[in-house]
Amino acid sequence: MPQTYSIDLNCDMGESFGAWTLGNDAALMPFITSANIACGFHAGDPAVMKATVRAALPHGVALGAHPGLPDLVGFGRRDMAISAEEAFDMTVYQLGAINAIVKAEGGQLRHLKPHGALYNMAATNAALAEAIAEAVYKVQPDLTLYGLAGSELTKAGEKLGLKTAHEVFADRTYQANGTLTPRRQPDALITSADVAIAQVLRMVQGGGVRTQQGTDVALRADTVCLHGDGAHALEFAQRLSKELRQAGVQLQAGRPAAAK
C-alpha cells in the first residue's frame, strides 16, 4: 500500500501595526491551514490581532500565538540577552493577550510558535527552550508547541508532554547542523519558487533537506512555514498548496507529514 502524506501549512500573520500594513493576510487564508498571530511585542496590536482572528475563522484556519521579543523597531529579528525567566514571562504575557482576543471572537487557540530571534535562540538554547515550553504547559497545556525540526524547543516540549510540531521552512536555506542560515547572510533566503517548492516536497516526502554545505540532513516535517510578508507571498502560497495536492499531499492542520 503506497504511503500517504499530509502537512500543515502555517503562516506568520497579524504583523501590521497601527497605521502600517504588512502582508496580505485575508487573501492568504484560503491557502494555509494554520495562522501564527503576532501578539504585540514584535508586531501587531489589539485591532490587528482581532482582525486577523476574524479573517481566519471563516476558513477554518487553526489559530496560534506568535510571541516575539519586545523589539518593534527590529521586528523581533535581533538577538537580545534575555534570561530564561524573562522568556517565560514574555511568553505568558503574549499568550494571554491573544488567547483573550481569540475567545472573545468565539474561536479556540490551537498552537504557539515563537517568532524570529526568540524562535532561533530557543532552537539552540536549552534554558530558553525549557522556559517557553513551561510557559505553554502552565497556561494552556493542550496547545501544540511549534519549533524548528529537531531543535531544543521541540525537545523541551516533548519532555514536558506537550504536543509538538516539528517545523520546516519553504523559503529558507539550512546549515549542516540542521539550523536555518542566519538572515544576515546573503544565501539565507530562497527566492526561486521552483527551488522552494522542490525543497518542501523533499522535506515532506523524503524526510530530509540539502544544506548549504552540500550535505543532506534528516528532519521531521510536521508543518511548513510560509512567510506572508514577501513580495510574492500570495502567488507562492497558491502555487505551493496546488502543487502539494497534485503530488498527493493532503493539507491539514495538526497532521504529521507521513501517515500509514
Side-chain angles (χ1 to χ4, degrees), residues 152-200:
E152 291 295 335
L153 186 56
T154 54
K155 292 175 185 175
E158 289 160 359
K159 185 178 179 181
L160 281 176
L162 294 172
K163 291 175 288 186
T164 61
H166 290 246
E167 184 178 36
V168 297
F169 287 76
D171 63 352
R172 296 291 300 275
T173 61
Y174 282 78
Q175 295 298 294
N177 63 355
T179 62
L180 300 176
T181 303
R183 281 183 175 270
R184 61 180 176 273
Q185 295 184 202
D187 56 354
L189 297 177
I190 297 173
T191 57
S192 165
D194 290 338
V195 173
I197 290 170
Q199 174 166 288
V200 170

Side-chain angles (χ1 to χ4, degrees), residues 201-244:
L201 287 169
R202 181 172 185 174
M203 291 187 292
V204 173
Q205 297 178 318
V209 67
R210 177 63 56 90
T211 71
Q212 288 298 91
Q213 290 73 36
T215 58
D216 291 326
V217 172
L219 47 73
R220 171 178 157 186
D222 297 328
T223 183
V224 177
C225 176
L226 309 176
H227 285 110
D229 57 348
H232 306 288
L234 178 58
E235 178 185 347
F236 179 70
Q238 292 171 324
R239 183 177 166 192
L240 178 60
S241 63
K242 178 181 178 180
E243 295 205 20
L244 282 168

Side-chain angles (χ1 to χ4, degrees), residues 16-200:
S16 299
F17 181 79
W20 289 269
T21 300
L22 182 67
N24 193 359
D25 292 354
L28 282 164
M29 292 297 180
F31 306 103
I32 63 171
T33 53
S34 295
N36 319 309
I37 303 172
C39 305
F41 271 33
H42 76 278
D45 59 41
V48 170
M49 293 160 71
K50 180 176 69 175
T52 308
V53 171
R54 287 183 174 180
L57 286 173
H59 297 281
V61 173
L63 304 172
H66 197 37
L69 294 173
D71 181 19
L72 281 172
V73 173
F75 198 62
R77 287 178 174 165
R78 302 182 293 189
D79 288 355
M80 295 178 67
I82 62 171
S83 67
E85 183 177 7
E86 288 172 318
F88 176 89
D89 292 344
M90 63 180 64
T91 301
V92 169
Y93 184 95
Q94 293 175 83
L95 178 54
I98 187 62
N99 218 342
I101 290 174
V102 168
K103 287 185 177 180
E105 293 301 315
Q108 183 175 356
L109 203 66
R110 194 190 70 88
H111 66 275
L112 180 143
K113 171 190 166 181
H115 166 81
L118 182 61
Y119 179 97
N120 291 326
M121 290 157 60
T124 58
N125 186 315
L128 293 183
E130 289 166 3
I132 293 170
E134 184 182 7
V136 174
Y137 182 79
K138 287 189 173 180
V139 174
Q140 196 169 342
D142 62 333
L143 294 182
T144 299
L145 179 61
Y146 283 34
L148 185 67
S151 66
E152 291 295 335
L153 186 56
T154 54
K155 292 175 185 175
E158 289 160 359
K159 185 178 179 181
L160 281 176
L162 294 172
K163 291 175 288 186
T164 61
H166 290 246
E167 184 178 36
V168 297
F169 287 76
D171 63 352
R172 296 291 300 275
T173 61
Y174 282 78
Q175 295 298 294
N177 63 355
T179 62
L180 300 176
T181 303
R183 281 183 175 270
R184 61 180 176 273
Q185 295 184 202
D187 56 354
L189 297 177
I190 297 173
T191 57
S192 165
D194 290 338
V195 173
I197 290 170
Q199 174 166 288
V200 170

